[in-house]
Amino acid sequence: MATLNHVFSSAVRFSTRRFGRREYLPTDRTHAWQLHSGYVRMFAQDDQDAIATLGLWRAGDIVGHFGGTNQPCFIECLTPVEATPVNLNNLNQHEILMAQLQQNQGLVRILHQKRVELRLLAFLQWLATQYGCPMPQGTLIDMPLTHQDIADAIGSTRVTVSRLIKRLYSRGEVTYRRHRYMLLGVEICES
């Protein structure tokens, strides 16, 4: 996903704030957040507490809730984050919405896989394409995600994701340490 630093060159700037892992960035319909460091995920939660991951963002991206629905959205820090609130009136909202739409489309394509194992592989490949660092052994996904984070993103359970990751590990397709994953010998398809 392209970073959007150029979008807010004329934006009114506020002071940078720091957030801890698993803290939430405040959301409203008048401000977005420019991320300076760290990773966040945006999600919605229904009445039965089911989580729908709407996107993942990193330093350089702008993230916010831009309306269109009354369902609340949450922006959760996956790591410690530094971010600055930016007034939406001073941004090119079209470009930001297009970046969010690309995130949503990638996740929807993943969710359309019928088997959970295929969803997991598609999600890991998508992450590798979006956030991966090529290494001699494979592609490192340097975004710390727990099995629950992955389960939320692919519409599964933590137990199922843990079992499937162990299976991929035993087949030599993935390795992981400290919630960071590396795809080994798996072809990364550009989406």
Side-chain angles (χ1 to χ4, degrees):
M1 184 169 86
T3 60
L4 300 171
N5 290 329
H6 67 282
V7 174
F8 55 56
S9 58
S10 64
V12 174
R13 295 204 180 238
F14 299 93
S15 62
T16 299
R17 293 187 50 195
R18 292 180 182 193
F19 299 90
R21 183 175 184 275
R22 299 296 176 194
E23 283 189 68
Y24 293 94
L25 277 65
T27 59
D28 64 35
R29 296 182 191 271
T30 61
H31 292 86
W33 291 93
Q34 177 199 3
L35 302 178
H36 302 293
S37 66
Y39 293 95
V40 301
R41 73 172 177 157
M42 185 188 305
F43 68 91
Q45 195 167 10
D46 67 17
D47 295 337
Q48 288 80 38
D49 291 333
I51 289 177
T53 299
L54 304 174
L56 301 162
W57 287 270
R58 64 179 164 191
D61 292 335
I62 296 175
V63 61
H65 182 237
F66 297 100
T69 178
N70 289 330
Q71 185 175 14
C73 291
F74 304 94
I75 303 171
E76 180 183 30
C77 300
L78 297 173
T79 63
V81 167
E82 288 188 9
T84 304
V86 182
N87 188 318
L88 287 177
N89 292 328
N90 297 321
L91 298 175
N92 182 340
Q93 291 183 39
H94 179 269
E95 288 188 43
I96 297 169
L97 287 171
M98 290 304 295
Q100 285 196 356
L101 182 60
Q102 287 175 344
Q103 286 265 339
N104 296 151
Q105 286 175 336
L107 291 170
V108 166
R109 278 194 290 275
I110 291 164
L111 289 172
H112 273 56
Q113 298 286 334
K114 294 193 187 307
R115 293 181 36 225
V116 176
E117 184 173 7
L118 295 176
R119 274 185 262 159
L120 174 59
L121 270 173
F123 182 65
L124 292 174
Q125 289 176 336
W126 180 78
L127 287 171
T129 300
Q130 298 292 317
Y131 306 103
C133 302
M135 308 285 278
Q137 312 90 314
T139 303
L140 175 67
I141 302 166
D142 195 29
M143 177 183 286
L145 294 169
T146 65
H147 290 183
Q148 186 63 56
D149 294 333
I150 294 170
D152 292 341
I154 67 170
S156 186
T157 65
R158 183 199 54 79
V159 172
T160 299
V161 166
S162 295
R163 179 177 46 82
L164 291 173
I165 286 176
K166 285 179 187 174
R167 183 184 300 164
L168 293 172
Y169 178 80
S170 70
R171 293 192 319 219
E173 295 180 48
V174 68
T175 187
Y176 56 95
R177 184 172 179 200
R178 300 179 129 191
H179 304 296
R180 286 181 172 73
Y181 300 84
M182 182 179 293
L183 295 180
L184 306 170
V186 177
E187 187 175 321
I188 304 303
C189 303
E190 295 289 329
S191 48

